[in-house]
Amino acid sequence: MAVEQSVRPHRARYRRILRFASVQLVQLWWFELLLPRVGFAGISERTRTDRMRRLAERFHVLAVDLGGLMIKVGQFLSSRMDVLPPEITEELAGLQDEVPAVPFADIKGRVETELGVPLERAYAWFDEVPLAAASLGQAHRARLSDREADDAGFVDVVVKVQRPGIDDIIAVDLAALRKVGGWLRRIRMVSDRVDAPALVEEFAQTSLEEIDYLHEAANAERFAENFADDDRVAAPAVAWERTTRRLLTLSDVTAIKINDIEALRGAGIDPVEVAQAFAAAMFEQVFTHSFFHADPHPGNIFVTPMPDGAWRLTFIDFGMMGEVPEGLRSGLRGLVIAVASRDGKRLVEAVQEVGVLLPSADTKSFERAVTQLFARFGGMGFAELSTVDPREFRDFAHEFGDTIRSLPFQLPEGMLLLFRAVSLTSGMCSGLDPKFNVWDAVEPFAGQLLRDESGNTLKEFASQAWDSMGTTARLPGRIDSVISDIEAGTVSFDTSRLERRMDALVRIGLRVVSAVLFAGLAIGGALLLVPAPALGIVLLSVSIIPLAHAVLAGLFGGPPRN
């Protein structure tokens, strides 16, 4: 009911999204299903790349025009290289969340509604010009009152304010996306490759968490607690008295942007050292805390000079955070072990454990591709990989990517965020240090995983050995008991279930023969209707007999009983 009430005032928006999706689905049906079935598969293949690119361009225009959650949808899809072709992800990668700012009068009304007091009482000063404006909210600089500053321990703040009416727009957009996901579930060529409804729900959960500023505030505090004993990393403090679900007040930690190399050098800070510290902080979040910043782009990381000449990294914007639950951590550990041991079969098993492959996946081609990967690059250490000709990497990656895209390959949300974080980290560090090698940064953590796994393997081996010893000790007594029962004639074998299964198989076989015989007679009769009408009618009439057996035997034969 709540969703229907939200949709009603935005019905035009809802219909526009569905209209766009329906047109694209009709084109998909025409080019990918109908044309190949009527002998025009070549047209479908030749036009696919251009069609995918035009689709992405049209969605880009739609997202910018509608704003709201649609921009987030485009950004989300741009990262789904596991389920979308590169023509789409590359076009959407440039979609920026930059929209016109909300008029200050509306922002003032939102702040006063959330806090229940006039803006002048809530803050000693509030900048009317936004620091940044995005599709879901915008940020303003402000200053706490003396009383609030004494309680919080800081004066200068940044206030994130949710756009008025954005809740209803998000509800409408999610309702439309769920409808489209239901449509996609009914298209076999799509459902075999991607679980569209699950993808929509993953996106919905991430989006709803991102607009819940209480959730973001809790994330900021959790992040700060994880690095409480580390002077290298910091996060803004939360002014809880001035924070609600739609309003977030944080200490102003604005400093040197991490990618501003000239400003870093001007402050006497070596960009190479910043790259090393940033990579270490990111991988510590992943491997040690299992809680990591999933959007570490340059606007969210500052380098803060300290009075004693030192500096630290300050992270902001904790709306998009990733977690590595134990199940995913176990699967990632298996992946690391498989890569270290160059075991293609084990890597495929680890990928399945993580939940990357859908149940319909045929893993044989994937295993062959992984085996080829290990055969070419598996003997190299982490550092040696950096010496490989980039063109060879690119050629192999293209071939390997074709194999991956042929599988029903869908990354869980947690792993997708992890890959996003690692990718942004690698790009950022390479910009700070052209010689940066991400493998060198990962290797210490991967080594610790291997050492942990070795300890677990040793314990498991000892447990299995003890169980085997117990079974071996009891085995002679059990064998002696069975032999005694056989000699006494007290051992019997119940074959009735096997006989019933065999009877069922025989019945199924006869029905198959009848179905094949019916098909042959029916086709033969149809072909002879023109040259030999009498014979054709006879064959068609006789075909009714095997058809009746195939159908009626299934109806009245009954299922086999256990």
Side-chain angles (χ1 to χ4, degrees), residues 187-426:
I187 302 176
R188 177 124 187 224
M189 67 171 293
V190 176
S191 62
D192 283 347
R193 291 186 50 80
V194 57
D195 186 348
L199 208 62
V200 172
E201 292 308 318
E202 285 181 2
F203 173 75
Q205 180 180 353
T206 301
S207 300
L208 293 175
E209 288 179 353
E210 191 170 350
I211 65 168
D212 184 352
Y213 289 161
L214 291 175
H215 181 77
E216 180 176 345
N219 285 342
E221 289 206 334
R222 179 179 173 185
F223 182 92
E225 289 173 2
N226 287 341
F227 286 97
D229 299 326
D230 190 340
D231 294 334
R232 302 172 306 154
V233 181
V238 181
W240 285 103
E241 293 296 321
R242 291 291 178 258
T243 295
T244 69
R245 194 178 74 83
R246 298 181 179 89
L247 183 76
L248 175 61
T249 304
L250 301 166
S251 60
D252 189 352
V253 294
T254 307
I256 302 172
K257 279 190 176 182
I258 190 171
N259 64 338
D260 191 342
I261 295 179
E262 291 186 6
L264 290 175
R265 288 175 175 157
I269 301 172
D270 185 355
V272 173
E273 293 182 3
V274 172
Q276 295 170 351
F278 175 60
M282 286 302 302
F283 290 123
E284 183 175 344
Q285 294 172 48
V286 172
F287 290 102
T288 303
H289 304 150
S290 298
F291 180 71
F292 58 92
H293 198 298
D295 195 23
H297 63 73
N300 286 339
I301 318 292
F302 294 113
V303 179
T304 306
M306 306 300 290
D308 58 358
W311 51 269
R312 68 185 179 193
L313 297 168
T314 305
F315 288 72
I316 64 170
D317 195 350
F318 299 92
M320 187 185 296
M321 301 295 291
E323 294 199 53
V324 187
E326 183 51 40
L328 179 57
R329 186 176 177 84
S330 174
L332 291 174
R333 186 183 298 117
L335 287 172
V336 172
I337 301 300
V339 171
S341 58
R342 300 193 293 280
D343 187 338
K345 183 177 181 181
R346 185 169 184 177
L347 186 141
V348 172
E349 291 173 351
V351 168
Q352 290 176 314
E353 180 183 354
V354 170
V356 168
L357 295 178
L358 297 182
S360 59
D362 177 7
T363 59
K364 294 299 182 183
S365 59
F366 182 39
E367 186 174 336
R368 285 194 296 270
V370 170
T371 301
Q372 293 174 5
L373 174 67
F374 287 149
R376 173 62 187 91
F377 303 111
M380 300 181 179
F382 286 118
E384 291 178 279
L385 288 171
S386 63
T387 65
V388 176
D389 187 344
R391 289 172 297 181
E392 184 175 0
F393 263 139
R394 185 171 56 251
D395 293 342
F396 191 91
H398 180 74
E399 182 180 349
F400 189 76
D402 289 341
T403 300
I404 294 299
R405 281 189 290 274
S406 69
L407 295 170
F409 185 77
Q410 182 168 319
L411 294 174
E413 180 70 9
M415 181 170 279
L416 177 68
L417 292 176
L418 175 59
F419 285 175
R420 173 186 173 85
V422 172
S423 175
L424 289 173
T425 300
S426 178

Side-chain angles (χ1 to χ4, degrees), residues 152 162 166 213 224 262 330 369 415 422 428 475 483 497-498 501 516 536:
Q162 200 175 100
I166 195 65
Y213 289 161
E262 291 186 6
S330 174
M415 181 170 279
V422 172
M428 182 91 74
L475 190 58
I483 293 174
R497 180 176 298 179
L498 178 60
R501 295 293 184 189
V516 173

Side-chain angles (χ1 to χ4, degrees), residues 507-548:
R507 288 197 298 271
I508 292 171
L510 291 174
R511 289 176 62 199
V512 171
V513 172
S514 295
V516 173
L517 185 58
F518 159 72
L521 291 171
I523 293 172
L527 293 174
L528 292 173
L529 276 177
V530 176
L535 182 57
I537 292 172
V538 170
L539 291 179
L540 287 172
S541 301
V542 173
S543 70
I544 297 175
I545 298 174
L547 173 62

Side-chain angles (χ1 to χ4, degrees), residues 31-220:
F31 284 99
E32 301 297 337
L33 293 177
L34 183 62
L35 290 185
R37 289 185 179 181
V38 295
F40 293 99
I43 295 177
S44 175
E45 294 173 1
R46 286 195 303 272
T47 62
R48 183 173 293 121
T49 297
D50 288 339
R51 284 189 290 109
M52 293 298 102
R53 185 175 293 110
R54 286 198 299 271
L55 186 157
E57 291 171 351
R58 288 193 292 268
F59 182 84
H60 193 144
V61 172
L62 177 75
V64 172
D65 191 24
L66 290 179
L69 210 57
M70 287 297 103
I71 291 179
K72 296 292 182 183
V73 171
Q75 293 174 335
F76 176 76
L77 294 177
S78 72
S79 65
R80 298 306 311 217
M81 293 176 287
D82 52 334
V83 297
L84 292 173
E87 295 80 22
I88 291 180
T89 58
E90 289 171 4
E91 168 64 27
L92 296 181
L95 190 58
Q96 298 297 318
D97 191 4
E98 296 177 359
V99 297
V102 175
F104 180 70
D106 295 337
I107 291 296
K108 179 180 179 182
R110 166 69 83 169
V111 173
E112 293 178 342
T113 299
E114 288 299 308
L115 298 180
V117 297
L119 183 66
E120 294 75 13
R121 286 182 53 193
Y123 300 95
W125 170 77
F126 197 99
D127 192 354
E128 296 186 9
V129 179
L131 184 63
S135 56
L136 303 183
Q138 61 191 51
H140 292 256
R141 280 196 171 95
R143 194 170 297 122
L144 294 176
S145 65
D146 293 340
R147 184 179 65 83
E148 296 293 342
D150 290 341
D151 293 339
F154 48 86
V155 176
D156 295 323
V157 295
V158 171
V159 183
K160 290 181 65 173
V161 187
Q162 200 175 100
R163 283 177 171 258
I166 195 65
D167 283 338
D168 288 343
I169 291 177
I170 288 175
V172 170
D173 291 354
L174 290 180
L177 291 174
R178 289 186 172 109
K179 176 71 75 174
V180 175
W183 291 347
L184 293 173
R185 182 176 56 188
R186 296 183 178 91
I187 302 176
R188 177 124 187 224
M189 67 171 293
V190 176
S191 62
D192 283 347
R193 291 186 50 80
V194 57
D195 186 348
L199 208 62
V200 172
E201 292 308 318
E202 285 181 2
F203 173 75
Q205 180 180 353
T206 301
S207 300
L208 293 175
E209 288 179 353
E210 191 170 350
I211 65 168
D212 184 352
Y213 289 161
L214 291 175
H215 181 77
E216 180 176 345
N219 285 342

